[in-house]
Amino acid sequence: MRAEGALVVMPTGVAPRAELAAAAGARRAESGAIAVDAAMRTSRDDLLAAGDVTFAHNAAAERSLRVEHWGDALGQGAVAGRTAAGRDAAWDAVPGFWSTIGTRTLKHAAWGDGFDAVRLDEHADGGFTAWYGRDGRVVGVLAHRADDDYERGRELIAAGASW
């Protein structure tokens, strides 16, 4: 393949490398990722998994999600550690990430199911917050120069707040 231009963006995709866990008897989801419950337990009692190799049940979302962000992998790893130590633990965080491009930072949190409504709030300092709704609930937030909105958005999403 040949690509020319001042800037070329080429998403190549990510495939979970779950062969070792599968060989050990862990069930894989249709996507090929390792299926885990909210405590990061696989289908084997003695095997935990966390991070982007998993299709993990999220207690707040009440369903399994495939998330490929390092922050969520850290959170899932902490849950797996508590589970391994015999403590009650569950992954219930709203998936989110941020990206800095030049001097601008965008922060995003969402369940990842899409949306059917959006509201844009522009801020006086050039920042903004985009609120996303679906089926009458807040399901996502995208913020620039609006950290308080980002944090509030995560709380609203987790609570299943009305749009």
Side-chain angles (χ1 to χ4, degrees):
M1 178 176 98
R2 181 181 166 139
E4 294 182 32
L7 175 67
V8 176
V9 178
M10 188 172 147
T12 59
V14 176
R17 299 297 308 264
E19 296 86 1
L20 182 61
R27 185 178 69 79
R28 293 190 346 185
E30 191 173 302
S31 66
I34 303 165
V36 298
D37 67 10
M40 302 297 115
R41 291 184 204 94
T42 69
S43 57
R44 286 189 49 154
D45 292 336
D46 60 347
L47 183 62
L48 302 171
D52 60 2
V53 73
T54 66
F55 185 59
H57 187 81
N58 183 290
E62 299 180 342
R63 65 184 180 283
S64 293
L65 305 170
R66 177 91 195 287
V67 181
E68 299 175 2
H69 306 297
W70 65 266
D72 293 292
L74 286 175
Q76 289 177 358
V79 169
R82 288 193 297 278
T83 299
R87 296 173 42 202
D88 288 334
W91 180 52
D92 60 2
V94 175
F97 69 93
W98 62 93
S99 182
T100 300
I101 304 164
T103 60
R104 302 187 188 277
T105 299
L106 296 172
K107 295 184 176 186
H108 180 264
W111 292 129
D113 300 315
F115 58 94
D116 58 25
V118 64
R119 185 184 81 228
L120 180 64
D121 295 339
E122 296 184 52
H123 306 301
D125 65 354
F128 65 85
T129 304
W131 298 96
Y132 299 92
R134 182 174 179 166
D135 298 329
R137 300 275 180 221
V138 177
V139 296
V141 62
L142 173 68
H144 171 57
R145 292 186 181 161
D147 290 349
D148 290 344
D149 282 355
Y150 174 75
E151 294 302 329
R152 182 171 159 255
R154 290 180 73 116
E155 292 170 7
L156 293 172
I157 297 162
S162 295
W163 178 248

